[in-house]
Amino acid sequence: MASNDLQKFIASHLSLFTNFIALVLLCLTLTILLLSKLFESKPSRKVFLLDFACYKPPASQMWSKELTMEIARHQFSLSKEALLFMEKLLEKSGLGPSTYLPEAFRTCPPNECMEEVRKESETVIFGAVDDVLAKTGVKGKDIGIVIVNCCLFNTAPSLSAMIVNRYKLGDKVVSYNLSGMGCSAGLAAIGLAKQLLQVHGNSYALVVSTENITGNRYQGEDRSMILINCLFRIGGAAILLSNRPSDRHAAKYQLIHAVHTNTAASDSSYNCISSVEDSEGLPGVSINKSLMPVVVKTIEANLTTLGHLVLPISEKILFIANYIARHFHSENIKPYVPDFMKAIDHIITHVGGQPVLDEVERNLRLSKIDMEASRMTLYRFGNTSSSSVWYGLAYIEAKGRVKRGDRVWQIAFGSGFKCNSLIMKATRDVDLEENNPWSDEIDGFPVDLKSADGAFPYDLEPAKQI
């Protein structure tokens, strides 16, 4: 009897001790959160996004899935099996009937010479930059920083030099050309510009995000490399930033946070998307089976940092309480996923492809309306690489959903593997504009997307790395 009483006494006191430890941990965590909020470093200069422009190709460059397959059958030397696989990919891609591909692909054989490659880049970049300068009234001579990102087309002189030459920018302009950084590079470029604007006072920064399709068509039959041909389409965006206080009232947004996560130290992250040669020596970009787990892992790492910056205290407390509870009773309690939409009004994610969007929606527990802009961007414009998040933002603006004070979250991810988040606050209501790429067709969206199996419908074999 005495032994039973002793056991009960020890158990009750052990429970009290456990609860006390949990309470102490919770109090310490809350104290740290409050102190970090109080002493959080503030940038010396506010950075504003004056405006942005997305390039919209002419109707003559529209390609339906049917036209894509017709050209592939008659102009590309592909086997019947490769063509069937390509057709299956297009059916499951999430792309609509009116995406854009280069004019060079319509000739027989396709004209993929350097002149055509440059022509595509010049047309897209100059088209977007012309539009953003016209919208803002900023003169080229007033731009002090130029950053261009394009993953696969790296030429000399650089694309940033091409802009300096075209718009006759001053000899003191600071210019950078980012290559090989994948679909997340556009937001990385914004983050870089934001940092540079802390150093260069009273300046404008021009950021251009694009990709080149003409010079990067894969001509072989490796299944892990055909995917790029089916998803990527022409597109580009130009974004104009300012740290001038006088631009505050004219700007659309104020940049609040830029969070960058790089997991390239992991071999699986580093190798999941890479430039390779297939067994026949044909170059292209390979995507292997580890992509989806890497996407989830990298986004989770990015959200850990982002959550500290944007989540309300209530969500932080719930997350911490759940973590502590799972520490002592892990088999009975599921992990708590913070509701980021309590801190965000609009989210635009890099479109990737339909399986990627499905995974993001599921893991972040987003609603259909949360994902609408990204899914419609994929449907209408395809995967335009790093510029896709700007087509998504243009969609939300065209719908008249951005109101003063709204917080906008853009999140992009790509080879490396990297994930970048940008948080902006709308400084005014944003009305529909004539040169928004959605202006003349926004009433037709959203479209009703047919359900499709989002899984990658093939086995990915490793290719020889360059």
Side-chain angles (χ1 to χ4, degrees):
M1 190 66 178
S3 177
N4 290 336
D5 290 341
L6 179 60
Q7 289 179 357
K8 290 180 180 179
F9 175 81
I10 293 174
S12 64
H13 280 68
L14 183 60
S15 177
L16 287 172
F17 178 74
T18 300
N19 292 335
F20 173 74
I21 293 297
L23 182 61
V24 169
L25 288 173
L26 180 59
C27 290
L28 286 173
T29 304
L30 291 176
T31 302
I32 292 170
L33 287 173
L34 290 172
L35 288 174
S36 64
K37 191 70 177 178
L38 288 173
F39 295 104
E40 194 175 63
S41 62
K42 301 292 182 181
S44 58
R45 294 187 175 98
K46 292 182 178 179
V47 176
F48 301 99
L49 189 155
L50 294 183
D51 216 326
F52 67 96
C54 298
Y55 176 72
K56 187 174 184 178
S60 61
Q61 290 186 242
M62 281 187 181
W63 284 60
S64 65
K65 297 176 185 178
E66 291 76 18
L67 177 60
T68 301
M69 291 307 304
E70 180 182 345
I71 296 294
R73 290 189 183 96
H74 290 91
Q75 296 190 16
F76 304 157
S77 301
L78 298 177
S79 66
K80 182 178 179 180
E81 292 75 16
L83 288 169
L84 287 173
F85 173 71
M86 186 175 175
E87 188 171 24
K88 187 176 182 180
L89 278 178
L90 286 169
E91 289 174 357
K92 296 175 178 290
S93 66
L95 274 67
S98 304
T99 57
Y100 301 94
L101 282 171
E103 294 177 352
F105 287 3
R106 289 183 181 268
T107 61
C108 185
N111 185 6
E112 297 164 306
C113 66
M114 180 57 72
E115 181 181 356
E116 287 296 322
V117 174
R118 287 183 179 275
K119 178 182 176 182
E120 180 194 331
S121 288
E122 290 175 353
T123 302
V124 173
I125 291 174
F126 295 159
V129 173
D130 286 348
D131 280 350
V132 79
L133 294 181
K135 290 168 77 172
T136 60
V138 173
K139 305 299 182 182
K141 63 182 180 60
D142 295 324
I143 296 173
I145 300 167
V146 175
I147 303 173
V148 179
N149 70 274
C150 181
C151 183
L152 297 176
F153 181 42
N154 185 18
T155 184
S158 67
L159 297 178
S160 59
M162 184 177 76
I163 291 176
V164 173
N165 177 262
R166 164 78 176 215
Y167 297 96
K168 306 306 176 186
L169 307 188
D171 57 5
K172 293 184 179 180
V173 65
V174 179
S175 65
Y176 296 89
N177 205 86
L178 310 181
S179 63
M181 294 182 65
C183 299
S184 69
L187 296 187
I190 295 292
L192 174 58
K194 183 173 181 284
Q195 292 184 30
L196 289 171
L197 287 170
Q198 300 305 313
V199 179
H200 300 273
N202 203 38
S203 296
Y204 291 112
L206 176 65
V207 177
V208 178
S209 297
T210 189
E211 190 50 85
N212 189 286
I213 308 300
T214 303
N216 293 288
R217 178 178 65 89
Y218 172 60
Q219 302 181 44
E221 300 196 3
D222 188 309
R223 292 191 170 194
S224 71
M225 301 167 75
I226 291 178
L227 182 63
I228 300 299
N229 292 352
C230 297
L231 285 180
F232 282 81
R233 296 294 185 265
I234 288 178
I239 305 95
L240 193 62
L241 307 175
S242 171
N243 59 11
R244 300 185 179 195
S246 59
D247 287 329
R248 177 173 185 173
H249 298 293
K252 280 186 175 181
Y253 305 95
Q254 179 184 343
L255 274 59
I256 306 299
H257 301 295
V259 177
H260 308 293
T261 303
N262 192 331
T263 62
S266 161
D267 289 344
S268 60
S269 293
Y270 180 75
N271 292 312
C272 68
I273 302 176
S274 56
S275 295
V276 298
E277 291 178 345
D278 65 12
S279 59
E280 302 297 322
L282 297 173
V285 177
S286 173
I287 300 176
N288 66 39
K289 284 183 175 180
S290 66
L291 174 63
M292 296 313 296
V294 166
V295 169
V296 173
K297 177 183 176 181
T298 310
I299 289 178
E300 286 178 350
N302 187 265
L303 297 189
T304 299
T305 302
L306 183 67
H308 163 67
L309 297 172
V310 304
L311 285 175
I313 292 295
S314 59
E315 284 296 301
K316 293 179 181 179
I317 291 174
L318 288 172
F319 178 81
I320 294 166
N322 174 266
Y323 176 83
I324 294 172
R326 286 189 296 113
H327 180 75
F328 294 104
H329 308 283
S330 60
E331 71 280 0
N332 300 322
I333 301 174
K334 293 182 179 180
Y336 178 73
V337 179
D339 185 357
F340 278 85
M341 300 314 291
K342 287 186 177 180
I344 302 296
D345 299 288
H346 312 284
I347 179 172
I348 303 101
T349 177
H350 167 57
V351 300
Q354 185 164 284
V356 175
L357 292 179
D358 292 342
E359 198 69 25
V360 171
E361 179 180 331
R362 180 165 50 250
N363 279 275
L364 294 184
R365 300 183 182 179
L366 299 173
S367 67
K368 299 300 181 184
I369 189 67
D370 293 332
M371 296 296 295
E372 181 183 314
S374 298
R375 290 194 184 278
M376 292 305 103
T377 296
L378 177 63
Y379 178 85
R380 179 61 184 86
F381 292 98
N383 185 342
T384 60
S385 189
S386 58
S387 66
S388 71
V389 291
W390 299 104
Y391 287 87
L393 181 56
Y395 178 90
I396 293 174
E397 290 187 354
K399 283 292 185 181
R401 295 174 183 171
V402 180
K403 305 300 180 184
R404 181 179 180 182
D406 282 1
R407 289 203 167 204
V408 177
W409 175 19
Q410 292 175 308
I411 180 170
F413 28 84
S415 60
F417 199 84
K418 298 174 290 295
C419 179
N420 297 313
S421 284
L422 179 67
I423 303 294
M424 301 185 293
K425 184 177 181 179
T427 56
R428 57 181 171 88
D429 293 353
V430 179
D431 301 320
L432 177 61
E433 303 164 334
E434 290 185 3
N435 50 356
N436 182 310
W438 299 89
S439 297
D440 57 352
E441 52 187 293
I442 192 61
D443 292 339
F445 290 88
V447 299
D448 183 19
L449 298 175
K450 294 181 179 179
S451 61
D453 179 9
F456 284 112
Y458 54 90
D459 293 326
L460 295 168
E461 298 296 337
K464 181 180 69 176
Q465 186 155 355
I466 293 175

